[in-house]
Amino acid sequence: MSASLNAVATAAAATAEGPACAGPLPVLGRDVTVPLVTGGEVTYAALDYAASAPALQRVWDDVAAYAPYYGSVHRGAGYLSQLSTDLFEQSRTAVAEFLDCRPSDQVVFTRSTTDSLNLLAATLPAGCQVFVFETEHHASLLPWTDARVTYLNAPRTPGEAVATLERALADREPYGPALVCVTGASNVTGELWPVKELAAAAHAHGARIVLDAAQLAPHHPVSVRELDVDWVAFSGHKLYAPFGSGVLAGRADWLQEAQPYLAGGGASRKVARREDGGVDVEWHTTAARHEAGSPNVIGVYSIASACRALKEAGFENLVARENQLIAKVREGLAEVPAVRVLSLFGDDAPRVGVISFVVDGWNSSHFAAALSAEYGIGVRDGLFCAHPLVRTLLGSEPQEPGECGAPEAAPGERSLNAIRVSFGAGTPDEHVERFVRAVRELVADGAKWQYRTEEGRCVPAV
């Protein structure tokens, strides 16, 4: 079947554009224009990568080349089914290589990072204690409902993060199974966390560690072996791959010993009726144990395609260019006195292309709506599914946002929400330049249009 797979890859390569390491990688939607309330149209500036990154053109071309060969995975004797099965399993190998997994690691395909971490939570051994910083995304903060959870306060330096974890692990009682969950890069501040050091601290105290790489994997190489993490989770839709798939990769023992995440076809190896009328089930011990049902083969293939595309483009080139964009945005925002950028570790901390900020005298929803309606710029506002972290950074308590146009806080007072701009390998320089210019103009001159509140969101009053 490999010859047929090669034909699919060749067809995709014939239509795909090569990597453009000196500039942005080609992504879908790069030429989409949107209307402005002030008149005319402008090319859309997608600066919400931290929520969902646009699909790489290379990924779309690969999927389009495969689509005519689409078939059921693992279940059919037909040619297309066998080809799709080969493609699915080769995608698993591609992801393992992308993550530099250990030979004994398993790669389980899920729906998302959230799904991956909930899957891992369902496999925890009895009595397991989980340690998680309050700075985590809700996907990392909330799944551990059946475990004893210790929430750690937000650290203000990477060293403090390691020391805080070491103290918590040393004080745990009784000494039993433990898991640390930590992000690789904050979805609020973009700051990189000391994952390797945290993994060393966890292992020194007999604990395991899972890395939430949802914001890290699209921007930096992730090596399971080098970081020495036990598991890593990430989402395709943040890795320039559409169709709603995710990955949980890492140690196999807890996964093999737990009941399947979902019970059904594919997860079961043998099912037989008992004389008492019940059913005996023998579950798979491979990754299939937690992949019941018909898998999202196109979503899985799109992740593998994105992994290959990023490796071929070269993370060294991608990181260097992204750092230039980060510097351009941060320097531009620093020139606007009304703007305050949010940070845990300080201005000099290494980070990915995720920056959150507040603007004195502006309701964050109003500001984001004006960026969209008057400049064609898509950002995000709110608490970014990381409520404890954003409230810690803002120093504010949970409150209902004010009406559109009404400032959330006067100068010197605490804001209720924030604005987030995020970008990556597909972002043109012009998009971040337009964003910086728009921030300056909105702060200096105000919005040109009237806005109103609709279902809790600020929208143009047309």
Side-chain angles (χ1 to χ4, degrees):
M1 201 59 56
S2 59
S4 299
L5 290 174
N6 288 337
V8 172
T10 300
T15 57
E17 299 182 48
C21 298
L25 297 184
V27 294
L28 294 184
R30 59 189 180 274
D31 298 322
V32 167
T33 59
V34 294
L36 303 180
V37 293
T38 50
E41 293 187 343
V42 66
T43 303
Y44 182 64
L47 297 180
D48 194 16
Y49 275 46
S52 286
L56 286 172
Q57 184 68 54
R58 156 72 180 277
V59 172
W60 192 258
D61 292 339
D62 280 354
V63 168
Y66 161 66
Y69 301 92
Y70 170 76
S72 180
V73 177
H74 295 149
R75 286 163 174 73
Y79 180 85
L80 298 190
S81 178
Q82 293 181 54
L83 187 145
S84 294
T85 298
D86 282 356
L87 201 72
F88 186 83
E89 293 304 328
Q90 288 190 14
S91 295
R92 202 186 303 276
T93 300
V95 171
E97 292 174 351
F98 178 75
L99 295 173
D100 190 25
C101 287
R102 298 162 292 245
S104 60
D105 286 338
Q106 285 188 348
V107 173
V108 180
F109 290 116
T110 66
R111 293 177 297 175
S112 60
T113 307
T114 302
D115 197 35
S116 295
L117 294 172
N118 275 269
L119 188 164
L120 184 61
T123 71
L124 298 183
C128 187
Q129 187 170 1
V130 176
F131 296 83
V132 57
F133 286 92
E134 67 173 357
T135 47
E136 292 291 313
H137 185 281
H138 293 171
S140 302
L141 198 68
L142 302 181
W144 321 106
T145 53
D146 293 331
R148 293 179 298 133
V149 184
T150 299
Y151 296 104
L152 307 176
N153 292 333
R156 287 299 179 169
T157 67
E160 184 183 336
V162 177
T164 298
L165 178 61
E166 287 181 329
R167 285 194 300 270
L169 288 170
D171 292 343
R172 68 189 173 105
E173 191 70 37
Y175 193 83
L179 177 70
V180 177
C181 181
V182 67
T183 188
S186 170
N187 77 304
V188 176
T189 67
E191 292 163 317
L192 299 179
W193 277 62
V195 177
K196 188 172 184 177
E197 292 79 4
L198 291 167
H203 293 153
H205 289 85
R208 298 187 181 188
I209 185 168
V210 57
L211 168 63
D212 176 352
Q215 299 296 339
L216 182 62
H219 303 272
H220 282 261
V222 175
S223 170
V224 169
R225 283 192 251 208
E226 182 180 342
L227 296 173
D228 197 23
V229 293
D230 297 282
W231 293 277
V232 61
F234 70 88
S235 295
H237 71 100
K238 291 180 175 28
L239 196 78
Y240 311 101
F243 307 113
S245 284
V247 168
L248 176 67
R251 295 179 62 158
D253 54 352
W254 284 8
L255 300 178
Q256 292 175 349
E257 293 162 7
Q259 288 296 304
Y261 183 48
L262 296 174
S268 55
R269 184 174 177 273
K270 185 189 299 181
V271 180
R273 289 291 302 273
R274 296 196 306 263
E275 291 184 2
D276 62 4
V279 174
D280 286 324
V281 183
E282 181 182 330
W283 303 105
H284 280 294
T285 57
T286 63
R289 185 183 188 89
H290 298 289
E291 293 177 345
S294 297
N296 181 359
V297 59
I298 288 183
V300 165
Y301 183 45
S302 71
I303 288 181
S305 173
C307 290
R308 286 191 291 264
L310 292 174
K311 287 185 68 174
E312 291 168 8
F315 268 110
E316 183 177 348
N317 298 318
L318 298 176
V319 170
R321 182 173 182 276
E322 185 173 312
N323 284 338
Q324 294 175 351
L325 297 180
I326 293 170
K328 190 173 293 188
V329 172
R330 287 179 60 83
E331 289 167 5
L333 294 179
E335 295 173 356
V336 185
V339 170
R340 177 168 68 92
V341 174
L342 305 183
S343 176
L344 268 177
F345 300 154
D347 291 341
D348 296 331
R351 64 194 72 228
V352 301
V354 179
I355 299 169
S356 297
F357 62 98
V358 294
V359 184
D360 284 346
W362 277 85
N363 177 299
S364 61
S365 179
H366 186 195
F367 200 89
L371 286 173
S372 174
E374 300 178 25
Y375 296 91
I377 298 170
V379 297
R380 185 156 293 239
D381 66 277
L383 299 174
F384 318 126
C385 291
H387 295 188
L389 171 57
V390 180
R391 286 173 181 145
T392 294
L393 295 172
L394 296 178
S396 62
E397 296 298 324
Q399 297 181 48
E400 291 297 322
E403 288 296 303
C404 185
E408 291 176 341
E413 294 183 354
R414 295 171 176 174
S415 300
L416 303 179
N417 294 293
I419 305 150
R420 184 181 71 190
V421 57
S422 52
F423 41 87
T427 305
D429 288 40
E430 188 276 329
H431 288 185
V432 299
E433 291 163 359
R434 192 197 316 170
F435 165 76
V436 170
R437 184 175 66 254
V439 171
R440 288 176 183 152
E441 292 179 2
L442 284 172
V443 171
D445 305 327
K448 301 181 180 69
W449 205 257
Q450 294 296 314
Y451 295 82
R452 60 185 173 83
T453 301
E454 184 177 291
E455 297 182 353
R457 297 290 308 165
C458 189
V459 297
V462 198

